[in-house]
Amino acid sequence: MIRAENLSKQFERSVRQGRKTKKESFLAVDHVSLYAKQGEIIGILGPNGAGKTTLLRMLGMLMTPTEGSILLTDEQGREIEDRTARKAAIGYLSGNTKLYPRFSIREYLEFLGELYGYDKIHISNRVEEIVTLLDMKTFADNRIEKLSTGQMQRASIARCLMADPQLYILDEPTLGLDILSADTIIHFMKGQKERGKTVLYSTHYLEEAQFLCDRVYMICSGKIVAHGTPEALMEQTGTENLRDAFHRIYDSENGASGSEKGGGKE
């Protein structure tokens, strides 16, 4: 399980004022609280620039919060305090994930297994299991630099799988993929849920989120503006699908002034 309390991240940006430029602080993530339980798929939804990637990078231990706390527990409910152990418990995927281009997928996974200290038999068995799971048998021995976009995304997820983490954090994992490649990623997420793993992921594909997610968090200007099951949010907004619910909530937030934003707080 992962739980974030009052998570914030402050950055500085340059603002032009006439002929002068000055530095201005802003919160990319503004006091966000959320949780994800074992065996849940949680969607993080929001427009570009809403703070989704910054939030996921903090949850994935890749960025230090300006304020707030993150609690990560193991399958027995015990807090994981050691930073190295916390990172090992998380499989993080983003569009910026870099792989060694001259390795084949199989060679890269074997290399990772050696880094993790696994014996050769375990490495061999684990690699074959991952190649089968992600339907990569036809291109597992191709160089990574020669892979298509969809194949590259599967290779990136294979990297996350090698250590068998308990929490997956996936930043737009199906973005730009063809139907078959996207379906492979979706089936992967569903399979990990069935294994009791936790999946946190951001997406712009709201039909996908409606189908997959146990709960979703909607984020706007760095704040959580709604939270609940897709069904509850559709009922709350009087809509028939999550896309319309999102637009109803987002338009309401952007039209609100002089009142405290919220809705969907835990």
Side-chain angles (χ1 to χ4, degrees):
M1 193 251 327
I2 187 167
R3 179 180 291 274
E5 297 286 350
N6 293 316
L7 214 56
S8 295
K9 184 63 181 180
Q10 182 173 291
F11 293 107
E12 284 192 345
R13 59 188 168 197
S14 297
V15 180
R16 289 280 296 184
Q17 289 189 336
R19 295 182 178 181
K20 295 183 178 180
T21 300
K22 72 170 188 176
K23 295 292 186 180
E24 177 182 86
S25 296
F26 73 100
L27 288 174
V29 173
D30 189 355
H31 296 90
V32 165
S33 295
L34 59 78
Y35 69 96
K37 296 183 291 187
Q38 187 175 335
E40 278 193 314
I41 299 177
I42 303 299
I44 308 295
L45 312 180
N48 289 334
K52 301 186 301 297
T53 294
T54 300
L55 174 61
L56 293 182
R57 287 179 65 83
M58 288 191 289
L59 295 173
M61 314 295 167
L62 299 177
M63 185 180 287
T64 303
T66 304
E67 187 179 346
S69 62
I70 301 169
L71 171 70
L72 182 65
T73 59
D74 62 20
E75 294 175 351
Q76 286 72 46
R78 297 172 300 205
E79 182 178 1
I80 303 173
E81 298 186 72
D82 179 73
R83 186 168 181 81
T84 301
R86 286 159 71 93
K87 285 189 173 183
I90 298 171
Y92 187 93
L93 171 71
S94 78
N96 296 321
T97 301
K98 302 298 181 184
L99 306 176
Y100 291 102
R102 299 186 66 80
F103 279 13
S104 71
I105 295 174
R106 193 182 303 276
E107 289 170 338
Y108 184 56
L109 294 178
E110 290 170 348
F111 168 69
L112 289 177
E114 291 174 4
L115 285 181
Y116 296 145
Y118 299 154
D119 62 56
K120 289 186 177 181
I121 294 177
H122 179 82
I123 291 173
S124 178
N125 291 339
R126 184 66 179 152
V127 170
E128 289 307 313
E129 182 182 353
I130 292 170
V131 166
T132 300
L133 175 66
L134 294 178
D135 194 20
M136 300 191 298
K137 288 185 178 181
T138 59
F139 57 88
D141 294 302
N142 295 355
R143 279 189 179 180
I144 288 171
E145 64 186 355
K146 301 294 185 182
L147 300 179
S148 69
T149 301
Q151 291 169 345
M152 184 75 77
Q153 192 73 321
R154 287 190 237 181
S156 295
I157 288 180
R159 174 191 62 82
C160 297
L161 271 168
M162 195 63 195
D164 196 24
Q166 67 183 61
L167 169 66
Y168 291 92
I169 298 179
L170 312 177
D171 193 358
E172 300 192 35
T174 60
L175 181 65
L177 301 187
D178 61 78
I179 293 173
L180 294 178
S181 296
D183 283 349
T184 298
I185 307 303
I186 288 169
H187 291 317
F188 160 75
M189 288 192 278
K190 290 174 64 179
Q192 295 310 298
K193 169 186 167 68
E194 290 168 3
R195 292 183 61 216
K197 305 291 185 177
T198 303
V199 179
L200 258 173
Y201 89 113
S202 71
T203 183
H204 288 296
Y205 302 134
L206 300 191
E207 292 80 8
E208 177 185 289
Q210 182 176 333
F211 168 72
L212 266 180
C213 295
D214 296 290
R215 290 181 293 112
V216 298
Y217 288 86
M218 294 185 180
I219 185 169
C220 178
S221 301
K223 296 182 179 181
I224 298 297
V225 296
H227 158 233
T229 65
E231 295 77 15
L233 293 174
M234 288 185 284
E235 182 178 353
Q236 172 188 324
T237 54
T239 54
E240 296 183 355
N241 57 67
L242 191 58
R243 178 174 294 277
D244 288 344
F246 174 82
H247 282 292
R248 187 73 56 85
I249 291 167
Y250 181 72
D251 291 346
S252 174
E253 285 296 314
N254 281 338
S257 61
S259 59
E260 182 177 348
K261 294 182 181 181
K265 290 186 179 179
E266 297 171 26

